[in-house]
Amino acid sequence: MWRDRRILDLFGIEHPILLAPMAGPVLSDMAIAVATEGGLGALPSAMLSPEQTRAELDKFRAAVKAPVNLNFFCHTPPVPDEKREAAWRARLAPYYAELGVDPAAPIPVSSRTPFDEGLCQLVEALRPEIVSFHFGLPPEALVARVKAAGAKVISSATTVREAIWLAERGCDAIISQGFEAGGHRGVFLGGDAAQQVGTMALVPQVVDAVKVPVIAAGGIADGRGIAAALALGASAVQIGTAYLFCPEAKVNAPHRAALKASWDDDTVLTRVFTGRPARGIANRIVREIGAMSELPPQFPLAGGALMPLRGKAEPAGSGDFTPLWSGQAMRLGRELPAGELTRTLVRETQDRLRQIADH
Amino acid sequence: MWRDRRILDLFGIEHPILLAPMAGPVLSDMAIAVATEGGLGALPSAMLSPEQTRAELDKFRAAVKAPVNLNFFCHTPPVPDEKREAAWRARLAPYYAELGVDPAAPIPVSSRTPFDEGLCQLVEALRPEIVSFHFGLPPEALVARVKAAGAKVISSATTVREAIWLAERGCDAIISQGFEAGGHRGVFLGGDAAQQVGTMALVPQVVDAVKVPVIAAGGIADGRGIAAALALGASAVQIGTAYLFCPEAKVNAPHRAALKASWDDDTVLTRVFTGRPARGIANRIVREIGAMSELPPQFPLAGGALMPLRGKAEPAGSGDFTPLWSGQAMRLGRELPAGELTRTLVRETQDRLRQIADH
């Protein structure tokens, strides 16, 4: 059915579609739905405790006999900087006053644990078939242990240079994350956010630069995009935003409403919500702070001080302070259950490939 | 040979490949080479006098019996602003001193004439088969006269909203110019340069929003990219950067060297060279002034004051002050004559379409 079987054989899946491990929106129910239809289900652990991750994986294993992709962040933990955090809270103080939030109330710590000894032990215990990392790779010794535990290792490259770096360090496949993608840029070798590369340009240049198979991500939301990615030389695609429209997605009401109402050029890369550049629909806090402001503290600390504002605004139907993560192809989104969406994507891609070659 | 014949039939060409009308690098020799091989040749008039445009078109007509795309800018002419221009010259003064340029010497006026009565009369006299505009469309009455002269009218959209605007005003086809594209962004409805949309996301959303055929541009430089664009629903592609590598391209030596040495993430959108956002390889002047600085005067005035610096630097082999226009897929460039490149693109696309559908 698929001509390029490199990723299918590497992962042991039927269709070249990977559910993006979107921390927050994706839990086991969506992973199960995608895996049941022959795509690769993912479980994002970055915002879960090890116990929660284990429980989600148990649910997945009980529901479907299929490989799973367990995802971890591997950022450098932030250096606490009281002065910077105080400046951030001071900048947000007018919003606290406006929404009637007590400025003296303790703010939650926005913790996203980078991959470490404890999480490595979790991988060794749970033995996921695929482990994906965001923001580069953890130390060499940990990567070796993940591989020894039987997992294929993948990570995201936002440039050709990052792809080469990942391939040299043993990645079994590389996600080529184009500029269009929603959520956090995987960027880890530095570089200006304004110089990030679009999927159309990035994928073939990465394919030419590395020997391992390439997974295209960014702006792909229907069968046309999947067929295009395969034409560019990708062996599979990773899809995020299209799955945010599914009923299984844990997306709050203002976020869901924004996804449905937005235009292609309504998103922006912003540091406001976490301290790292991530793509979301521009909203009030992004516009007023400045999307790429240096004011928000180091990743992931920036988010904590926004939580009390979200706690007030979201129940009132406002997404003014909410990270409205989205890629640029949100207008292609369809409100289908994740399993049905996966089947639809497969059928559309097959149809499209037949159509364009019919000459 | 091609399944989607909408653009082929509209323009009367054999292959769905349009040479981008790159003002400066493209003259009749390259247009003739592309048209001879069945693509659409283009003559960019923005930096030519009407007499030069007429002479180039005469050469084209004498060499090949094929349609041609005559391209015009249709920006609003700049309002002279002595204070702003003085501030710009003052900012450049240290460079003048460094390179030994007399700061009191008159600087050339950077004139790019927008489409007007005189150019409309030229179109009525020359009767090109296709007229393309950049930066929107000229006034309605002029568009009507261009159409009455027998030309199909096309223009570039950088967003879905711009595509709808162009379709409503009678464009026969729309160029969907993704973020990856080199040279000037066609943006004309305003909006933040940071919110520009990548080709992979833009093309299918434009295809869904308009009834006229869509031409994909941005990051497309080989058969993989062309096949991908067709998969996304485009009826043809427009290619620029890949043709800058051809011997026919009027590209100065530092520019040519930079194209060959660059990486995918070495380009940036910058206002420095003309006053409008355009993609080029980041060089010294871009880094030191700031790519999107508001200091350069209104389009196209910014370029004049840079000319004396280029006049000193370029002969010495330096591209420090030169607009090094490039899209993000420059690593796919090949130094082939334009006719051979066109044939290669056709063959690669056909091969790629067969390969991906062979299942």
Side-chain angles (χ1 to χ4, degrees), chain A residues 3 195 231 265 352 355, chain B residues 3 161 195 231 265 352 355:
Chain A
R3 185 184 174 278
Q195 295 182 220
D265 59 334
R352 194 79 197 129
Q355 282 168 12
Chain B
R3 186 185 174 278
R161 281 183 264 234
Q195 294 181 220
D265 59 334
R352 194 80 197 128
Q355 282 169 13

Side-chain angles (χ1 to χ4, degrees), chain B residues 21-227:
Chain B
M22 299 177 282
V26 173
L27 288 176
S28 55
D29 54 344
M30 196 184 293
I32 291 164
V34 171
T36 301
E37 296 299 332
L40 182 64
L43 287 173
S45 73
M47 292 171 73
L48 301 180
S49 69
E51 295 68 36
Q52 288 171 316
T53 299
R54 182 185 291 268
E56 289 297 311
L57 193 70
D58 285 349
K59 283 190 229 174
F60 183 92
R61 295 298 194 204
V64 58
K65 188 172 160 48
V68 70
N69 166 21
L70 200 52
N71 176 260
F72 299 93
F73 285 0
C74 50
H75 55 285
T76 309
V79 181
D81 182 340
E82 295 247 345
K83 212 170 135 188
R84 193 165 174 193
E85 283 154 53
W88 180 228
R89 284 195 302 272
R91 177 65 186 85
L92 299 179
Y95 300 116
Y96 276 55
E98 179 186 329
L99 272 67
V101 177
D102 176 7
I107 60 167
V109 176
S110 181
S111 65
R112 305 199 189 180
T113 315
F115 192 73
D116 59 7
E117 172 63 31
L119 290 172
C120 193
Q121 288 178 15
L122 187 70
V123 164
E124 289 168 328
L126 299 179
R127 302 185 69 85
E129 290 77 8
I130 294 100
V131 168
S132 61
F133 294 107
H134 213 49
F135 312 133
L137 286 172
E140 200 176 335
L142 293 183
V143 173
R145 283 170 57 189
V146 169
K147 290 195 155 198
K152 303 299 178 192
V153 171
I154 64 177
S155 184
S156 289
T158 63
T159 64
V160 171
R161 281 183 264 234
E162 288 183 345
I164 292 171
W165 190 99
L166 291 173
E168 284 173 352
R169 279 154 190 84
C171 276
D172 295 293
I174 288 166
I175 302 159
S176 174
Q177 189 197 28
F179 173 81
E180 294 93 330
H184 284 95
R185 304 292 307 147
V187 58
F188 60 92
L189 289 185
D192 189 331
Q195 294 181 220
Q196 291 277 291
V197 185
T199 302
M200 182 67 88
L202 182 62
V203 171
Q205 294 181 94
V206 169
V207 167
D208 289 348
V210 300
K211 288 182 179 159
V212 294
V214 172
I215 299 153
I220 302 167
D222 65 13
R224 292 174 294 187
I226 300 173

